[in-house]
Amino acid sequence: MGFYIDAEVNTSRGRIDAVVKSKEAIFIFEFKVNETPQKAIEQIKEKKYADKYLTEKENGKTIFLLGVNFKNKTEVEYLVEEI
C-alpha cells in the first residue's frame, strides 16, 4: 500500500506513539484517553518529536502532527496540524 508504520518510536525526549510514512508525507501521532487532541499536539511540539524527521521535510515530504483523543469506545476526537 505504500505506507510504513512504526509504533513507540524512541527519541531523545520521549516516545512517539506512532509514525506513518508515505512517499509524500510523514504523520506523527500522539494518542490520549479522556483528554484533548490539543494536549496531544502540545506534547508533540513540547518534546520536539518532529525534529527527527526534519531532514525528510527538506527532501520534499510534508509533516503532519495528529493529536487523537479517545473519549470512549465509540467517540474519537482528532486535530491535525501541518508543519
Side-chain angles (χ1 to χ4, degrees):
M1 291 183 60
F3 290 95
Y4 173 77
I5 302 168
D6 202 3
E8 297 293 322
V9 178
N10 287 316
T11 73
S12 61
R13 296 178 153 230
R15 216 175 298 161
I16 304 169
D17 287 338
V19 176
V20 177
K21 292 183 179 183
S22 72
K23 287 183 180 180
E24 299 84 21
I26 298 171
F27 304 88
I28 300 171
F29 288 84
E30 180 64 32
F31 302 112
K32 298 290 182 192
V33 176
N34 294 324
E35 293 192 27
T36 66
Q38 184 60 39
K39 188 162 184 172
I41 293 282
E42 289 170 7
Q43 180 176 333
I44 294 170
K45 291 177 179 179
E46 177 184 304
K47 296 199 175 195
K48 300 183 181 187
Y49 290 160
D51 285 3
K52 184 172 185 161
Y53 303 100
L54 291 179
T55 56
E56 294 186 58
K57 181 175 175 61
E58 293 169 0
N59 293 328
K61 287 192 178 184
T62 305
I63 299 176
F64 293 97
L65 312 180
L66 290 97
V68 181
N69 177 54
F70 297 95
K71 291 176 80 172
N72 56 49
K73 291 181 181 180
T74 59
E75 289 184 70
V76 178
E77 305 171 306
Y78 66 93
L79 181 63
V80 179
E81 288 187 20
E82 180 180 337
I83 62 167

